[in-house]
Each structure stands twice: as structure tokens, then as C-alpha cells.
Amino acid sequence: MPHHGNEEEHAGEGRDENQKPVIHDNRKVDPKTGQARHPDQEPAGAEPDSGDALSQAEDILNSVDVPAADSVAQGVDAQEAEELKNDLRRLQAEYVNYRKRVERDRAVAGEMAVIGVLNALLPVLDDVDAARQHGDLADGPFAAIAAKLENALKTYGLVRIDETGVEFDPTIHEALIQQPGADVVNDTVSQVLRSGYKSGDRVLRAAQVIVAVPA
């Protein structure tokens, strides 16, 4: 019986409508890797590459359940284990020493910063002393400001060196004039010409003084 119409339509009459067409990739070069394909070496039903080698290795390692007896530490004798502990203790001690050194350096840096500020303000304190000696700071707002400045600097450890009648100390005093003293046994500070300052054990500036020496 002759067929009417397109032969492809008649050929498709016996095909299942739900059956999807099968596409065969016959290219000789893998578009992903750029490598030549060998159809005879590929296993049937091989699935496409699911990831790089690192991901595949991680999947394999994660999928393997290693018992405790087969762990990395298996086979390590007591001597090697003790050496590992000693290495750990040494690293811990080095870290503790490093942390102490960092904290010490930080404290020294902070102290040097404070000392730098105090040294910069010493000329201002000299002007305040000169104004006080001339009676310009007897009363009024400037006297209150000067007092606040001096008290604020004391909180940072600034100590004035201006005592008289004490034994001369070359580490904190600078003798500008020496005068014989009738009633002194040792070299004694009789007058302070310019106050000195120190912060803790550090002398920022020695006091310029007149020294009375035994006659």
C-alpha cells in the first residue's frame, strides 16, 4: 500500500512519545579537557568528570572511616612521643617569651611617649615658675590654669626637684655656684636657680642649684 505524505511522519508513528532522543557525542576531542578521546578505552556507562583531582581526593578521604588504631600516631614509640612533647613544650615556651617581650616593648614605647610629652612641656613649666616668682600667678584664672596643668602632669609621674637644704646629689643636681657654708658638714643645696624634673627613676632634667660647701 503506497504511503502518503512524509515518510518521517510514518516512521515516527511507532515511536513512544515519552521516549527522549539519545544524542551520541562522537567528537574525537573532549571539549572540557582538550585531550584526545579513545572510545575503546572508555568504560561503558562512564560518568562525566565530577570535579578536579583535589576534590576527588578529599571525597575519598572523607568517605574512609579510619579507626583509632590505624591513626597517624600508630607505630610511634615512647621515645619519639616524648620528643614530640618536648618540641611542643619548647614552642610553648618560645611563644610565652615572645609575648612577654612584646608586652615589655609596648610598655617601654608608652613610657617613652609620655617622657617625650613631658620634656616638651618643661619650658612651659619654667615660664609658669617665672610668672609665679614675679607675682603674676598670685590669683586669677591663669593661676588656676597653671595649677591644673601641674596637677595633670603629676598624674603622669612628673616630680619636681626643687628642695633646698638637702645633700647635693650629682645625679639630680647641677652645681652652678659653690659657696662656703659655716654650718654645713657636707655639700648642701642652698638655693635652686632652676627646678629639675624626673619621671619615676628617670631624670628628665637636673636642677640647677647653688651648693654650700664646708668652710
Side-chain angles (χ1 to χ4, degrees), residues 74 100 122 146 186 207 214:
Q74 184 186 13
K100 290 181 180 179
L122 293 185
N186 300 317

Side-chain angles (χ1 to χ4, degrees), residues 34-183:
Q35 302 294 330
R37 287 178 171 176
H38 302 281
D40 54 341
Q41 297 180 2
E42 293 183 357
E47 296 180 357
D49 186 12
S50 60
D52 56 7
L54 180 59
S55 300
Q56 294 178 3
E58 290 179 352
D59 294 339
I60 294 173
L61 292 176
N62 293 331
S63 63
V64 175
D65 186 10
V66 180
D70 296 334
S71 61
V72 180
Q74 184 186 13
V76 178
D77 55 15
Q79 182 178 359
E80 294 180 355
E82 187 64 25
E83 291 178 356
L84 292 176
K85 291 181 180 179
N86 292 334
D87 292 340
L88 181 59
R89 295 190 188 100
R90 184 172 61 257
L91 290 175
Q92 185 179 9
E94 291 177 356
Y95 172 74
V96 171
N97 293 333
Y98 169 76
R99 185 176 60 183
K100 290 181 180 179
R101 185 170 61 254
V102 169
E103 293 176 354
R104 183 173 61 253
D105 294 343
R106 186 183 295 114
V108 171
E111 181 181 356
M112 294 304 298
V114 172
I115 290 176
V117 174
L118 295 179
N119 282 325
L121 292 176
L122 293 185
V124 179
L125 296 178
D126 292 339
D127 294 340
V128 171
D129 288 341
R132 186 177 287 114
Q133 291 176 4
H134 287 82
D136 297 336
L137 293 179
D139 196 4
F142 289 106
I145 294 173
K148 289 181 180 179
L149 174 62
E150 292 172 339
N151 292 331
L153 295 179
K154 288 180 181 179
T155 61
Y156 288 95
L158 185 65
V159 178
R160 185 191 296 268
I161 305 173
D162 59 352
E163 290 183 285
T164 59
V166 297
E167 185 176 356
F168 174 78
D169 184 354
T171 61
I172 61 175
H173 298 134
E174 180 184 357
L176 298 182
I177 302 174
Q178 290 184 349
Q179 296 176 343
D183 55 350

